[in-house]
C-alpha cells in the first residue's frame, strides 16, 4: 500500500530556485530540511550573495540587469536542465507569475512549483480573475467587465460607479500601475500615466477600473490546494499597513475578524481556488470595510512575502507544503485540522531612506546584528560585509515575531526592532519603530490609509 503510493509520486530530488534574496534562502532551507538538493541561480551582481553561499549548487545566469538574468527564461531553463533539476521554484516577483515561463518549464518536462500555466494566465489577468471570483459567488469591487477600450469608456464607467475610482493595470503586481482618481478632471491624466507604468512594468498596457473602497482593510486568505481538488485555507492576514499600495507590516490573525467572519472569507477563498482549478499555495486578496463587507481584489498565484505570519499561527510550513504538493502528495489534513493559535507580526526591512521619499539605498553593510529570543524569527539575505546592489528589490529582510496574543507580539516586535543593527546603508527600521508606537496601530484601528494619514509621508 505504502509502496504503491510512493511510486505514484513525482521525482523531486533536486529543485532549482529561480530567484534571489530572502525568498531564495527560505526555499533553499525548506529543500534541505526535506533532503532535496537545492540548486540556485545568480547574476553577476550576486556572485557573493547569501543564497549562492548556502545553496548546494549555484549557476550563473547572466548580467546584473534582471532582464539579462532573473527574468531570462532561456538562461534559467538551461541552468535547470544542465544541473539535472526535477523542478523549478519561482519564488516571488520576477517570473513567479509569468504563465509563459510556467508553460515552457512544464513543456521541458520539469515541474513548475505552482499552479498550471492556464490557471496563472487566467488569474494573472486581474480582469478575468474578477470574472472567476464572480462565478465562484464571491463579491467583487464594482468596476469594469473586461479591460477598458479607451479613456471614454473609463469616463463613462466612473460616472456610473461614482468617484473616487481606481485605475489599475490588468497585469499589475507589487502595487505598480495603480492610480487613484478623485474627480472626473483627473481621470484622463491618471489613465495615461497608469498606461505608461503598466507597459513599462508588465509589458501590457491594458487597464481596468474599480470603485475605490475608502477606509477598508486589506485582508487576504492563504490557501493550499493539492492536485486532487482538495483545498484548505489557513486563515487571514491583515496587510493594511501599506505605503503606495505596497505592504510594509503584516499580521495574522486580523484583530477585527471573528471566527464566523474567518469561515466566511475562508470559504469564499476556497471556492475561488476550486473554481479556478487551482493547485499549490495561493492567496486571495480582499478589501474589507468597517461594516465587515468584503470584496475580492485579486489572487496571487505564488508564495507571498508575508506567508511567514500564517506559518507562525498555524504551525504549517507553507514552503514545504508547496514542495509536497508539487511532488504529487495529497494534503495530509482537512480544514478542521487547521488551528489558529496566538498572534504574529512581520516588519519588512528595506534598504531605503525613509527620510528622503523612501529612495532605495545601496552600499556595504559593515555591521549587522540580527535580533533573537523566544518567538523572534529573522528571514533575510544579509551578512556582515555584504554588498546591497541597486539592481533589485530593496527588501533585505523580514523580522517576524510570535506572541500568545497581539499585545505580546507587539512588545516582542518593539524589542526586536530595538536590537537589530544594520550599519552602512539606510533602512526603514526607525520608520517601523514609529509604526509600532502609533496609538492607532496599537489599538488595531487602522486601514489601508494608515501610513498616508498617520505617518506624514
Ligand atoms: P506580496 O504580494 O507577496 O506581499 P509584494 O507585492 O510585496 O508581494 O511583491 C513581492 C515582490 O514581487 C516585489 O519585489 C514586487 O515588486 C514583485 N512583484 C509582485 N507582483 C509582481 C508582478 N506581477 N510582476 C512583477 N513583479 C511583481
Ligand atoms: P497588486 O497586484 O499591485 O498587489 P492589488 O489589486 O492587490 O494590486 O492592490 C494593491 C493595493 O491597492 C491593495 O492592497 C489596496 O490597498 C489598494 N487597492 C486596490 N484596489 C483598491 C480599491 N478598489 N479600493 C481601494 N483600495 C484599493
Ligand atoms: Mg495585491
Amino acid at each position: 500500500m505504502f509502496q504503491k503510493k510512493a511510486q505514484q509520486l513525482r521525482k523531486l530530488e533536486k529543485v532549482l530556485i529561480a530567484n534571489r534574496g530572502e525568498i531564495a534562502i527560505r526555499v533553499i532551507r525548506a529543500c534541505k530540511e526535506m533532503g532535496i538538493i537545492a540548486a540556485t541561480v545568480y547574476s553577476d551582481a550576486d556572485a557573493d550573495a547569501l543564497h549562492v553561499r548556502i545553496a548546494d549548487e549555484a549557476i550563473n545566469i547572466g548580467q546584473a540587469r534582471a532582464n539579462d538574468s532573473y527574468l531570462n527564461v532561456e538562461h534559467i531553463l538551461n541552468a535547470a536542465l544542465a544541473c539535472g533539476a526535477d523542478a523549478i521554484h519561482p519564488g516571488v516577483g520576477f517570473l513567479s507569475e509569468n504563465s509563459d515561463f510556467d508553460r515552457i518549464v512544464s513543456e521541458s518536462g520539469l515541474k513548475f512549483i505552482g499552479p498550471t500555466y492556464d490557471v496563472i494566465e487566467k488569474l494573472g489577468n486581474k480582469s478575468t480573475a474578477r470574472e472567476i471570483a464572480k462565478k465562484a459567488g464571491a463579491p467583487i469591487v464594482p468596476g469594469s467587465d473586461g479591460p477598458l477600450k479607451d479613456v471614454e469608456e473609463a469616463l463613462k464607467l466612473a460616472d456610473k460607479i461614482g468617484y473616487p475610482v481606481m485605475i489599475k493595470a490588468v497585469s499589475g503586481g507589487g502595487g505598480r500601475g495603480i492610480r487613484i482618481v478623485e474627480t472626473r478632471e483627473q481621470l484622463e491624466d491618471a489613465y495615461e500615466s497608469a498606461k505608461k507604468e503598466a507597459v513599462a512594468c508588465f509589458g501590457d498596457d491594458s487597464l481596468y477600473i474599480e470603485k475605490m473602497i475608502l477606509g477598508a482593510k486589506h485582508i487576504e486568505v492563504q490557501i493550499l490546494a493539492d492536485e486532487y481538488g482538495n483545498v484548505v485555507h489557513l486563515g487571514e492576514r491583515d496587510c493594511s499597513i501599506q505605503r503606495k499600495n505596497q505592504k510594509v507590516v503584516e499580521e495574522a490573525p486580523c484583530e477585527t475578524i471573528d471566527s464566523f467572519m474567518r469561515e466566511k472569507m475562508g470559504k469564499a477563498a476556497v471556492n475561488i481556488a476550486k473554481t479556478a482549478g487551482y493547485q499549490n499555495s495561493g492567496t486571495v486578496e480582499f478589501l474589507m470595510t468597517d461594516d465587515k463587507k468584503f470584496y475580492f481584489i485579486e489572487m496571487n498565484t505564488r508564495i507571498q512575502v508575508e506567508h511567514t505570519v500564517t506559518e507562525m499561527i498555524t504551525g504549517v510550513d507553507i514552503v514545504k507544503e508547496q514542495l509536497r504538493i508539487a511532488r504529487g502528495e495529497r494534503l495530509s489534513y482537512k480544514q478542521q485540522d487547521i488551528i489558529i493559535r496566538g498572534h504574529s507580526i512581520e516588519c519588512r526591512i528595506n534598504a531605503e531612506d525613509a527620510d528622503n521619499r523612501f529612495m532605495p539605498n545601496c552600499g556595504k553593510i559593515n555591521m549587522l546584528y540580527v535580533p533573537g529570543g523566544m518567538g523572534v524569527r529573522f528571514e533575510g539575505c544579509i551578512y556582515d560585509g555584504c554588498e546591497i546592489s541597486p539592481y533589485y528589490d530593496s527588501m533585505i529582510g523580514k523580522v517576524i515575531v510570535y506572541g500568545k496574543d497581539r499585545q505580546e507580539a507587539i512588545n516582542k516586535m518593539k524589542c526586536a526592532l530595538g536590537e537589530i543593527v544594520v550599519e552602512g546603508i539606510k533602512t526603514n527600521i526607525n520608520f517601523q519603530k514609529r509604526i509600532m508606537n502609533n496609538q492607532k496601530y496599537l489599538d488595531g484601528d487602522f486601514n489601508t490609509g494608515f501610513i498616508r494619514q498617520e505617518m506624514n509621508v
Side-chain angles (χ1 to χ4, degrees):
M1 181 65 192
F2 177 74
Q3 230 178 3
K4 198 170 166 204
K5 192 181 168 209
Q7 273 168 3
Q8 287 168 344
L9 295 184
R10 208 170 273 120
K11 180 167 163 255
L12 200 68
E13 286 168 9
K14 190 189 242 189
V15 169
L16 183 86
I17 294 120
N19 216 295
R20 65 179 303 285
E22 64 83 23
I23 197 69
I25 290 162
R26 173 73 187 83
V27 181
I28 292 167
R29 285 177 178 149
C31 287
K32 286 189 171 181
E33 277 183 51
M34 288 174 70
I36 297 169
I37 302 168
T40 193
V41 296
Y42 66 97
S43 71
D44 292 349
D46 275 341
D48 294 323
L50 194 58
H51 75 285
V52 174
R53 297 186 177 206
I54 71 162
D56 295 311
E57 285 171 38
I59 301 148
N60 182 291
I61 49 161
Q63 291 170 0
R65 255 176 20 115
N67 273 328
D68 300 326
S69 47
Y70 298 106
L71 287 172
N72 189 309
V73 173
E74 198 188 328
H75 292 185
I76 290 172
L77 192 64
N78 287 342
L81 295 170
C83 78
D86 303 305
I88 296 187
H89 193 300
V92 308
F94 296 125
L95 296 168
S96 62
E97 293 182 89
N98 185 313
S99 58
D100 286 336
F101 179 60
D102 184 347
R103 183 177 50 76
I104 291 165
V105 168
S106 311
E107 284 172 0
S108 308
L110 303 181
K111 177 73 185 161
F112 177 88
I113 303 179
T116 51
Y117 66 83
D118 53 313
V119 173
I120 294 200
E121 193 170 14
K122 279 190 285 190
L123 292 169
N125 179 312
K126 291 178 163 191
S127 211
T128 0
R130 281 165 60 86
E131 284 166 30
I132 292 172
K134 212 165 149 183
K135 204 165 131 200
I140 58 173
V141 182
S144 33
D145 296 322
L148 295 165
K149 279 194 274 304
D150 49 28
V151 69
E152 274 69 44
E153 192 190 356
L155 281 164
K156 224 190 247 167
L157 257 169
D159 285 341
K160 200 172 120 200
I161 59 183
Y163 289 89
V165 296
M166 271 181 144
I167 293 191
K168 299 168 67 174
V170 166
S171 302
R176 314 287 291 276
I178 299 180
R179 294 291 179 279
I180 297 174
V181 188
E182 283 169 45
T183 61
R184 197 170 206 275
E185 291 66 47
Q186 294 172 352
L187 193 135
E188 195 163 343
D189 282 352
Y191 183 90
E192 293 307 328
S193 84
K195 216 174 175 69
K196 268 197 205 126
E197 188 168 304
V199 80
C201 295
F202 314 110
D204 171 14
D205 68 357
S206 14
L207 303 174
Y208 69 112
I209 201 167
E210 269 180 8
K211 185 165 183 62
M212 181 160 186
I213 310 290
L214 291 166
K217 272 180 175 290
H218 171 116
I219 304 293
E220 57 184 39
V221 178
Q222 169 76 51
I223 63 109
L224 285 172
D226 66 18
E227 295 180 1
Y228 313 95
N230 303 304
V231 187
V232 300
H233 71 84
L234 304 185
E236 80 286 354
R237 299 186 277 261
D238 183 339
C239 312
S240 305
I241 308 290
Q242 301 181 354
R243 198 187 135 263
K244 289 186 146 181
N245 304 316
Q246 268 176 336
K247 298 157 190 166
V248 177
V249 178
E250 301 101 338
E251 61 183 271
C254 168
E255 261 300 83
T256 59
I257 287 182
D258 59 16
S259 53
F260 173 75
M261 188 70 188
R262 178 164 305 121
E263 203 181 313
K264 208 165 144 183
M265 293 182 85
K267 274 192 178 144
V270 167
N271 274 341
I272 290 169
K274 285 188 171 165
T275 306
Y278 200 87
Q279 53 178 267
N280 218 289
S281 160
T283 300
V284 182
E285 296 189 335
F286 298 103
L287 290 172
M288 184 183 82
T289 53
D290 272 347
D291 56 357
K292 300 286 188 299
K293 287 205 176 74
F294 64 92
Y295 305 90
F296 169 85
I297 47 173
E298 68 154 341
M299 180 158 185
N300 288 149
T301 56
R302 55 174 166 85
I303 184 87
Q304 275 190 300
V305 171
E306 60 275 21
H307 70 280
T308 51
V309 291
T310 301
E311 292 183 327
M312 304 307 276
I313 61 159
T314 57
V316 176
D317 184 319
I318 297 172
V319 179
K320 282 204 257 175
E321 287 307 307
Q322 284 196 290
L323 295 165
R324 289 192 188 106
I325 291 167
R327 190 151 67 187
E329 286 184 39
R330 283 175 189 277
L331 295 184
S332 60
Y333 36 80
K334 297 215 158 27
Q335 190 60 55
Q336 63 265 29
D337 301 322
I338 305 296
I339 309 228
I340 286 165
R341 187 175 292 138
H343 199 94
S344 179
I345 303 175
E346 170 179 280
C347 283
R348 297 190 187 201
I349 307 300
N350 297 336
E352 58 190 20
D353 186 355
D355 298 322
N356 182 20
R357 292 177 296 124
F358 293 84
M359 289 280 279
N361 196 258
C362 50
K364 188 175 177 170
I365 295 183
N366 46 40
M367 158 86 185
L368 173 71
Y369 176 77
V370 162
M374 184 174 166
V376 178
R377 167 177 174 187
F378 186 77
E379 296 279 348
C381 57
I382 47 180
Y383 57 88
D384 257 324
C386 78
E387 203 60 62
I388 305 299
S389 77
Y391 298 101
Y392 315 109
D393 197 85
S394 60
M395 194 177 78
I396 54 172
K398 312 182 290 201
V399 178
I400 302 117
V401 295
Y402 175 78
K404 65 180 188 311
D405 53 28
R406 187 166 189 265
Q407 189 56 57
E408 190 177 72
I410 290 172
N411 294 343
K412 275 186 202 279
M413 185 57 88
K414 285 185 184 173
C415 286
L417 292 174
E419 278 180 30
I420 188 171
V421 178
V422 184
E423 278 177 13
I425 56 165
K426 295 204 162 77
T427 71
N428 65 341
I429 294 169
N430 280 330
F431 184 70
Q432 292 285 21
K433 285 185 195 163
R434 280 176 55 209
I435 296 175
M436 287 302 131
N437 283 296
N438 178 287
Q439 196 54 49
K440 288 222 161 118
Y441 180 75
L442 299 176
D443 293 342
D445 174 18
F446 57 86
N447 56 49
T448 56
F450 174 86
I451 287 189
R452 215 175 338 112
Q453 290 151 13
E454 291 289 314
M455 306 299 290
N456 301 319
V457 293

